[in-house]
Amino acid sequence: MDFSADDPAPLSWTREQAEGLIAWAERSRQAQGFAWLDDTGRQRTEQGVQTWITSRTTHVSALCSREGGGAAAELAEHGVHSLRESLRDPEHGGWFSTVAFDGAPADTGKAAYQHAFVLLAASTAASAGTPGADQLLGDAAATVLDRFWDAAAGLSVESFDRAFAHGEDYRGANSNMHMVEAFLAAGTATGDPAWARRALGISDFLIRGEAAAHGYRLPEHFTPQWEVVLEYNRDRPGDPFRPYGWTPGHSLEWARLLLHVEAAVEEPPGWLLPAAEALFSTAVEAAWARDGADGFCYTLDWDDRPVIHERMHWVATEAVAAAHALHTRTGESAYAELARRWWVHVRTCFVDGDRNWRHEIDSRHRPSTTVWSGRPDVYHAYTALAFAAGTPIPGYAVLGAGAPSEGSTNA
């Protein structure tokens, strides 16, 4: 181990790694956006150019450009241009899920998950002053509100065909979680408090309602009437976007997001911090080393038995980001100690020199491809590095220790 376990994420290292992530992202630059990379950094033509990858890379590049410009600023501008010109559907509006390397539409479905990331990328890029981002933000905000936002339910619907004529018979927590993130960033970029109120409404239903009702284990899959489907995808447990069971990594991500909601809304309700802590502690107790080896088991069944034992880099990075955020919010040293412990795990098992970060390992910490193949994403890793370094992210504010947290849990 070539680092200190007492300080496994010093500022010099986090900055060096952030620069490395941008250099990795630069390898994915393609005429239509940003491509899926394999383990060696080669573009995978068969995956096409996907909107969620292009959006997340644009978001990260825009964040980095706020700190130093240069190559990151150029990547952010390329991403904004690609989202405006290559991945957007000029006929029906909204964004294709995937285009081929030659620009031909490959997957013409319109999904909330992808559109949440377009809105996030546009909001971050607008906050960073990226050329063209304000126009992209206006288009993305209008599309999300007009096509995906169900004002009566206070939640996002899931997906449509190309013409937005037919919707999917499914509702999902994952896409709504990323809408919360995007709404917070949009609120920061536009100054419109309605975005934070929408984010609070989604959080209230999914966390104060559904997660609390299931012992702070969040159900992810629902009918169009928002009835829970606990057995969804039991026969396809390793689905990369809709796995069976509950996903502790999302609980850790939600724990942090609730703190951002608390900081964003006027007169935040008192349940947000206790819920964030309950999500965090439940996920850690249930998933960390559940099968005897260090790491977070990816998915669990409703009796907390591991379903997918593999460890994902995004889960570990969300764990450290949540621990940093909870330490900032509460001042409790236990959260800082967990962040240190998990940074050691991340550096030992996932960080791979100039090859970006391994995305998946098995329970014996060997490379695995059960759920993910290649290394297409820098978004989660960059978020964790930003929290370790104290780098501000638009929409990701956290109240400081000592801020009032009492209040009615029914507020």
Side-chain angles (χ1 to χ4, degrees), residues 216 251-252 255 275-285 318-320 322-324 326 335 338 342:
Y216 286 96
S251 295
L252 296 165
E277 295 193 289
L279 286 169
F280 183 91
S281 62
T282 301
V284 173
E285 182 178 353
E318 287 299 336
V320 293
H324 282 298
L326 281 163
Y335 290 121
L338 285 173
W342 294 334

Side-chain angles (χ1 to χ4, degrees), residues 299-381:
T299 59
L300 308 175
D301 70 12
W302 298 105
D303 294 314
D304 291 347
R305 294 173 299 203
V307 178
I308 301 295
H309 289 254
E310 274 65 24
R311 279 71 163 140
M312 307 297 165
H313 92 292
W314 76 261
V315 176
T317 55
E318 287 299 336
V320 293
H324 282 298
L326 281 163
H327 178 250
T328 298
R329 178 64 181 88
T330 67
E332 294 183 14
S333 61
Y335 290 121
E337 179 54 37
L338 285 173
R340 284 193 292 271
R341 178 183 182 185
W342 294 334
W343 271 123
V344 171
H345 173 63
V346 167
R347 292 194 65 167
T348 302
C349 296
F350 292 105
V351 177
D352 188 22
D354 63 356
R355 286 193 174 187
N356 182 243
W357 295 15
R358 300 179 186 94
H359 278 28
E360 178 181 323
I361 57 176
D362 66 16
S363 60
R364 296 177 63 182
H365 301 168
R366 300 170 302 188
S368 173
T369 58
T370 297
V371 178
W372 289 105
S373 63
R375 305 184 187 185
D377 194 19
V378 296
Y379 151 85
H380 290 286

Side-chain angles (χ1 to χ4, degrees), residues 34 57-58 61-63 65 71-81 125 130-131:
F34 296 102
T57 304
T58 303
S61 300
L63 288 177
S65 76
E74 293 180 8
L75 289 179
E77 188 169 353
H78 173 68
V80 167
H81 176 80
T130 305

Side-chain angles (χ1 to χ4, degrees), residues 89-104:
D89 182 352
E91 182 177 356
H92 298 285
W95 282 265
F96 299 125
S97 292
T98 308
V99 300
F101 272 28
D102 64 2

Side-chain angles (χ1 to χ4, degrees), residues 228 245 294 333:
V228 175
D294 279 358
S333 61

